Amino acid sequence: MTPPVLHHSLAAGARVHLPTVAMRHTRAGFADYLELTKPRLSSLSVLTTVVGYFAARPVFDGALFFALLAGTAACAAGVAALNQWMEADTDALMRRTAARPIPGGKIATGTAFVIGWALCAAGLALLFARVTGGAAFFALATIVAYLALYTPAKRRSRFSTEIGAVAGAFPPLIGWAAVPGGDAALAWVLFAILFFWQIPHFMAIAWTHRRDYEAVNFPMLAVRDTTGGRVAAWSLACTFAVAAAGLAPAWLALAGHENARGHAGTSLAIIAAYAIVALALGAWFTKRALAFRRPPAGQTRETAARRLFFASIAWLPLQLAALVVLRLLA
């Protein structure tokens, strides 16, 4: 039986029981355990790890690549389960999360705790034994940043989104560290792209769901900023930053162009094509952020936030795909 979850009473600050979680306990199925791992968020970590790996121009090793995927996926899934274990009380109070496996009474908190740590331990062990110590180190850094820094900060700090963006920017470094001799400058460019991309992405989410976050007293900017002006301005600033970071790989490729080994014309054409694509994607993303900052006539900030959110979802895979093509062909 799932034990009652505790949460902070918003009225008095006292800790009270939520017996409804225990009363609604039902038998969990495969879909519930899968949801515990937040597959969409976990798959993003795996995807960006793969980008970091191929951007480092590896000599492809199928066994190592599979271990990298499996180890990263296990760590990401474990972090997601532990995050839901840590936030079961606030999840129960928000409409968008109340049906998750723990507050929904389908998976016991103790079960989620064991699953989460088992997955993290297995993932770290696989990365350390079958990939590289560096890959295991950055995976561990992701786990620590997400669970020890970001998750507690959501209850206490206005800067929780930025702290979470640090955790979310580590996965490309896991992939880069799997390839000995990878370009360190490019690895940190990837870190910057992921860091700055997350700000407008999550600010759009936070503004759309600010009432839920307000209900659990999360002191994030979207809750404190009643008009949304500061939320949108910060989103716009970070969109400019991520657009600039998206162009940086072209400059890095030009800086190393003297090592192109006789394919000068082709390499320059590919670098130029990448720069054009990055500029176009950055301009489109910035246009959505500008609309969030100053909604056009007839459009609300809520509508602009949703459009910015969907633009961010489309921008990231397109930008990263272009970057991988540049690295492999230029």
Side-chain angles (χ1 to χ4, degrees):
M1 202 66 165
T2 306
V5 182
L6 297 172
H7 74 92
H8 289 285
S9 168
L10 302 182
R15 295 181 73 82
V16 296
H17 286 280
L18 286 177
T20 53
V21 175
M23 290 164 50
R24 289 160 50 195
H25 179 71
T26 58
R27 186 177 181 85
F30 174 78
D32 300 309
Y33 288 105
L34 182 63
E35 187 180 354
L36 185 68
T37 67
K38 295 184 181 178
R40 283 181 293 183
L41 186 60
S42 297
S43 63
L44 177 61
S45 296
V46 175
L47 171 65
T48 53
T49 297
V50 169
V51 169
Y53 174 77
F54 281 110
R57 290 179 169 174
V59 175
F60 185 75
D61 180 331
L64 182 146
F65 183 66
F66 177 79
L68 177 67
L69 291 182
T72 304
C75 289
V79 166
L82 290 169
N83 171 257
Q84 291 190 60
W85 169 74
M86 295 173 71
E87 294 189 333
D89 56 343
T90 52
D91 280 353
L93 298 177
M94 295 191 291
R95 286 175 296 175
R96 62 188 290 263
T97 56
R100 284 178 174 173
I102 299 176
K106 296 177 181 178
I107 295 178
T109 53
T111 301
F113 178 83
V114 172
I115 289 174
W117 281 120
L119 285 169
C120 286
L124 289 172
L126 184 58
L127 290 172
F128 185 79
R130 299 296 183 183
V131 186
T132 65
F137 170 80
F138 283 117
L140 179 61
T142 305
I143 293 169
V144 171
Y146 201 94
L147 298 179
L149 300 177
Y150 170 59
T151 301
K154 289 171 72 174
R155 301 174 188 258
R156 301 184 180 94
S157 175
R158 134 77 181 89
F159 298 101
S160 59
T161 301
E162 291 76 10
I163 295 170
V166 172
F170 275 128
L173 300 184
I174 301 173
W176 165 79
V179 182
D183 187 342
L186 181 67
W188 291 107
V189 167
L190 282 168
F191 181 92
I193 289 173
L194 264 292
F195 175 84
F196 287 114
W197 169 81
Q198 288 174 88
I199 306 301
H201 176 75
F202 286 113
M203 285 294 170
I205 295 173
W207 182 253
T208 302
H209 297 285
R210 64 192 182 280
R211 301 304 178 203
D212 271 349
Y213 295 124
E214 185 179 11
V216 295
N217 208 26
F218 282 172
M220 55 179 50
L221 182 59
V223 172
R224 295 184 173 187
D225 178 19
T226 57
T227 66
R230 286 184 295 160
V231 172
W234 184 221
S235 297
L236 179 60
C238 290
T239 304
F240 282 131
V242 78
L247 278 169
W251 293 108
L252 292 176
L254 284 172
H257 184 61
E258 62 274 12
N259 297 322
R261 295 186 180 180
H263 298 284
T266 302
S267 295
L268 284 174
I270 293 169
I271 293 169
Y274 171 83
I276 292 170
V277 170
L279 276 171
L281 288 172
W284 174 57
F285 199 6
T286 302
K287 180 181 178 181
R288 291 301 188 198
L290 281 167
F292 184 37
R293 179 70 180 90
R294 295 185 181 277
Q299 187 178 125
T300 65
R301 200 181 297 279
E302 283 72 16
T303 300
R306 287 193 294 272
R307 290 184 176 183
L308 176 60
F309 169 73
F310 288 118
S312 70
I313 291 177
W315 181 90
L316 186 65
L318 292 172
Q319 175 65 54
L320 295 182
L323 190 154
V324 170
V325 170
L326 168 70
R327 290 293 295 171
L328 294 181
L329 298 183

